[in-house]
């Protein structure tokens, strides 16, 4: 067979990998052949012949586009896995449907009913009393769709205790009694719950089927258990994708992941202290690390940009989401080359709600893309899964048509072309302002083969277009 090799600095499993000769694939508009050997693109040209290696896999491209593998620049892998090991109520459109699902949910092996995807605008407000009525005496925990809050039943609260809860984490009513809601305290809750995070199972295979060969996990603070679960998945090959993590200070990741910019929160709920935020940024910069600032609302984005200006931006600094990003900040972001990581899938999946509740003054700057690019601001695309679908082709379609689930259009002037959206998935996650990754000789063989030439695929972007996916020359789909 092929040579024994590892996947390099962000690779993992050592596997025997044959050479691959792809016939008649479209590369940047031209039909050609591509040879892959030892995890890299060895040759590109017409009528290539295999080397003398013992084993060669031949693939008939039939004119389909061969692209660098896509990279999702903002996901939460552990949250995706956890959502799948509980009850997902995202499909419930009414409070009655939510109640029915929670009432019928099965208690898991460690004695909890775990619910994900709660949306107060579709499911109604939830507190411990509502959960107690649905599941008397049962420990229930419900995660908000944003991932930023949990609500527990009375039994759940008693089970975890609250003697060392972070200040402000436990919401209380007017009488001082806990409502059951826990805000921005995932680390503390994870320590109280105890069990190791759910395994990632077949998530890597699903990502590969979408053409994703890399992801950036943007969880604000992974913690030892969740980080180890990710590294185990990389080590065993169940997560073959290259992995960048933001929420860790660990510098020794065994070559299985790379630490990207450090995740920092601008949190309007907890209170915005621009001086403290600037100090936190400066501290990260002093350690040689860029920052990725979570900022959704207008106030959060203004605070993030102001703090970055005070601290002095460095290469690699990012704003995550930028959902309501005032145009007055564009000059600063462009001059400093601060990247904004957007989620166009939110336009489709949450746009109807946003049109109802977002202030009229903010609607023109809601989920901007085109105007940011026109101003010279670097832009990347992430899914924010499980808040939205992890499917990049759905996000590309949303970036083009800007349509909500009901068919309404959100900010039509912010639409971009499918080719422009795709290019954001081809950006280097560690050098977002540099050139996009290309299928060229010597490049890492992170590749996706589509079932049609690129113009045809982009005219109708869909996950079904993906035929094959390779990571470092190893076939990971199908």
């Amino acid at each position: 067979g092929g040579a024994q090799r590892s996947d390099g600095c962000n690779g993992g499993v050592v596997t025997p990998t044959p050479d691959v000769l792809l016939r008649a694939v479209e590369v940047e508009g031209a039909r050609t052949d591509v040879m892959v050997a030892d995890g890299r693109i060895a040759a590109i040209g017409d009528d290539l012949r295999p080397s003398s290696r013992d084993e060669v896999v031949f693939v008939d491209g039939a004119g389909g586009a061969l692209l660098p593998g896509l990279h999702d620049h903002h996901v939460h892998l552990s949250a995706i896995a956890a959502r799948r090991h509980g009850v997902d109520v995202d499909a419930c459109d009414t409070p009655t449907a939510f109640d029915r699902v929670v009432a019928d949910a099965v208690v898991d092996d460690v004695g909890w009913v775990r619910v994900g995807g709660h949306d107060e605008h579709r499911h109604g407000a939830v507190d411990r009393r509502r959960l107690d009525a649905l599941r008397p005496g049962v420990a229930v925990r419900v995660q908000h769709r944003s991932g930023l809050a949990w609500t527990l039943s009375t039994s759940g609260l008693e089970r975890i205790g609250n003697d060392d809860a972070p200040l402000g984490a436990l919401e209380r009513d007017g009488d001082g009694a806990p409502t059951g809601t826990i805000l921005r305290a995932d680390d503390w809750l994870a320590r109280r719950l105890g069990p190791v995070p759910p395994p990632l199972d077949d998530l890597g295979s699903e990502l590969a089927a979408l053409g994703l060969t890399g992801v950036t996990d943007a969880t604000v603070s992974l913690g030892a258990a969740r980080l180890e679960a990710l590294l185990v998945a990389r080590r065993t090959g169940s997560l073959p994708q290259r992995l960048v993590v933001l929420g860790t200070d660990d510098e020794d990741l065994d070559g299985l992941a790379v630490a990207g910019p450090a995740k920092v929160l601008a949190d309007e709920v907890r209170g915005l202290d621009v001086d403290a935020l600037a100090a936190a940024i400066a501290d990260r910069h002093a350690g040689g690390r860029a920052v990725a600032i979570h900022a959704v609302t207008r106030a959060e984005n203004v605070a993030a940009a102001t703090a970055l200006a005070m601290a002095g931006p460095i290469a690699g600094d990012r704003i995550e989401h930028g959902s309501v990003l005032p145009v007055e900040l564009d000059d600063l972001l462009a001059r400093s080359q601060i990247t904004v990581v957007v989620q166009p899938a939110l336009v489709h999946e949450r746009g109807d709600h946003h049109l109802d509740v977002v202030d009229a003054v903010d609607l023109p700057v809601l989920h901007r893309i085109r105007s940011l690019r026109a101003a010279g601001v670097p832009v990347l695309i992430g899914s924010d899964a499980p808040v939205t679908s992890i499917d990049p082709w759905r996000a590309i379609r949303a970036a083009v048509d800007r349509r909500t689930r009901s068919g309404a259009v959100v900010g039509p002037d912010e639409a971009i072309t499918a080719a422009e959206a795709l290019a954001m998935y081809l950006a280097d996650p560690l050098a977002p302002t540099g050139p996009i990754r290309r299928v060229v000789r010597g490049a890492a063989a992170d590749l996706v083969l589509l079932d049609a030439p690129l113009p045809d695929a982009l005219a109708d972007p869909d996950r079904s277009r993906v035929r094959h996916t390779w990571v470092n020359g190893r076939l990971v789909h199908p």
Side-chain angles (χ1 to χ4, degrees), residues 112-239:
W112 282 92
V113 167
R114 187 195 188 285
V115 181
H118 170 248
D119 182 342
E120 68 274 24
H121 305 287
R122 292 186 296 141
H123 307 144
V126 63
D127 61 12
R128 65 183 176 88
R129 292 180 177 85
R130 182 176 175 188
L131 298 179
D132 292 346
L134 292 171
R135 301 301 297 266
V138 176
V140 182
R141 68 184 194 270
V142 177
Q143 188 177 34
H144 189 263
R145 65 171 183 79
S146 67
L148 300 178
W150 291 85
T151 301
L152 277 62
S153 65
T154 299
S155 292
L157 287 174
E158 292 171 349
R159 183 165 175 176
I160 65 167
N162 62 10
D163 53 293
D164 63 345
L167 182 65
L170 291 176
E171 183 183 78
R172 296 182 181 275
D173 62 22
D175 297 325
T179 66
T181 296
I182 299 173
L183 299 168
R184 311 276 195 180
D186 266 16
D187 285 350
W188 174 78
L189 184 58
R191 290 194 300 271
R192 287 289 178 161
L193 292 172
V196 175
L200 298 177
D201 294 341
D202 296 326
L203 180 57
S205 297
E206 179 181 339
L207 300 181
L210 297 168
L212 289 164
T213 60
V215 293
T216 294
D217 189 287
T219 305
V220 64
S221 182
L222 278 170
R226 284 181 292 187
L227 178 60
E228 180 59 23
L230 293 179
L231 298 182
V232 167
R234 291 285 296 118
R235 188 177 295 115
T236 61
S238 63
L239 184 70

Side-chain angles (χ1 to χ4, degrees), residues 249 262 276-289 291 311:
D249 292 326
L277 185 57
I281 294 169
D283 181 64
R284 292 297 191 172
H285 286 177
R289 197 167 175 196
V291 295

Side-chain angles (χ1 to χ4, degrees), residues 316-339:
D317 282 341
R318 303 165 28 149
I319 289 178
E320 308 292 317
H321 308 300
S323 302
V324 180
L325 191 60
V327 296
E328 292 81 5
L329 299 177
D330 288 0
D331 183 58
L332 167 63
L333 299 178
R335 280 189 288 106
S336 303
Q337 289 294 276
I338 297 168
T339 299

Side-chain angles (χ1 to χ4, degrees), residues 144-471:
H144 189 263
R145 65 171 183 79
S146 67
L148 300 178
W150 291 85
T151 301
L152 277 62
S153 65
T154 299
S155 292
L157 287 174
E158 292 171 349
R159 183 165 175 176
I160 65 167
N162 62 10
D163 53 293
D164 63 345
L167 182 65
L170 291 176
E171 183 183 78
R172 296 182 181 275
D173 62 22
D175 297 325
T179 66
T181 296
I182 299 173
L183 299 168
R184 311 276 195 180
D186 266 16
D187 285 350
W188 174 78
L189 184 58
R191 290 194 300 271
R192 287 289 178 161
L193 292 172
V196 175
L200 298 177
D201 294 341
D202 296 326
L203 180 57
S205 297
E206 179 181 339
L207 300 181
L210 297 168
L212 289 164
T213 60
V215 293
T216 294
D217 189 287
T219 305
V220 64
S221 182
L222 278 170
R226 284 181 292 187
L227 178 60
E228 180 59 23
L230 293 179
L231 298 182
V232 167
R234 291 285 296 118
R235 188 177 295 115
T236 61
S238 63
L239 184 70
Q241 285 74 22
R242 297 182 190 269
L243 178 61
V244 178
V245 291
L246 307 185
T248 182
D249 292 326
D250 196 334
E251 297 181 358
D252 183 13
L253 301 176
D254 297 331
L256 300 169
V258 175
K263 188 72 177 287
V264 178
L265 286 180
D267 187 353
E268 189 173 1
V269 173
R270 288 278 182 92
L272 293 171
D273 183 334
V274 175
D275 290 332
L277 185 57
I281 294 169
D283 181 64
R284 292 297 191 172
H285 286 177
R289 197 167 175 196
V291 295
I293 307 176
H294 168 99
V296 176
T297 67
R298 176 183 286 267
E300 289 172 353
N301 278 286
V302 170
T306 303
L308 279 167
M310 292 169 61
I314 66 172
D317 282 341
R318 303 165 28 149
I319 289 178
E320 308 292 317
H321 308 300
S323 302
V324 180
L325 191 60
V327 296
E328 292 81 5
L329 299 177
D330 288 0
D331 183 58
L332 167 63
L333 299 178
R335 280 189 288 106
S336 303
Q337 289 294 276
I338 297 168
T339 299
V340 179
V341 184
V342 299
Q343 290 80 39
L346 283 170
V347 172
H348 173 70
E349 298 191 20
R350 306 294 177 187
D352 290 314
H353 164 63
H354 291 167
L355 288 174
D356 284 340
V357 302
V358 172
D359 290 342
V361 69
D362 288 336
L363 286 176
V365 294
L366 181 61
H367 300 305
R368 291 199 290 141
I369 303 180
R370 183 178 181 182
S371 60
L372 284 171
R373 288 167 50 84
V377 179
V379 181
L380 300 178
I381 290 179
S383 64
D384 201 21
V387 176
T388 71
S389 167
I390 202 167
D391 184 348
W393 305 98
R394 184 179 298 181
I396 289 172
R397 185 183 294 274
V400 173
D401 66 25
R402 305 281 299 187
R403 291 194 178 277
T404 70
R405 287 180 174 177
S406 73
V409 177
V410 177
D413 292 342
E414 293 296 336
I416 58 175
T417 68
E420 289 170 329
L422 174 65
M424 297 181 207
Y425 281 103
L426 304 184
D428 185 333
L430 299 179
T433 60
I436 65 171
R437 294 172 292 118
R438 298 171 55 206
V439 178
V440 294
R441 184 176 179 181
D446 298 347
L447 301 168
V448 55
L449 177 62
L450 305 183
D451 68 352
L454 188 57
D456 295 343
L458 292 182
D460 183 24
D462 189 85
R463 62 184 297 166
S464 63
R465 294 292 190 183
V466 177
R467 278 185 55 191
H468 294 296
T469 306
W470 294 264
V471 175

Side-chain angles (χ1 to χ4, degrees), residues 93-119:
D93 286 329
T94 66
T96 299
F98 172 90
D99 287 350
R100 186 184 309 116
V101 169
V102 174
D104 293 341
V106 176
V107 178
D108 66 21
D109 293 341
V110 292
W112 282 92
V113 167
R114 187 195 188 285
V115 181
H118 170 248
D119 182 342

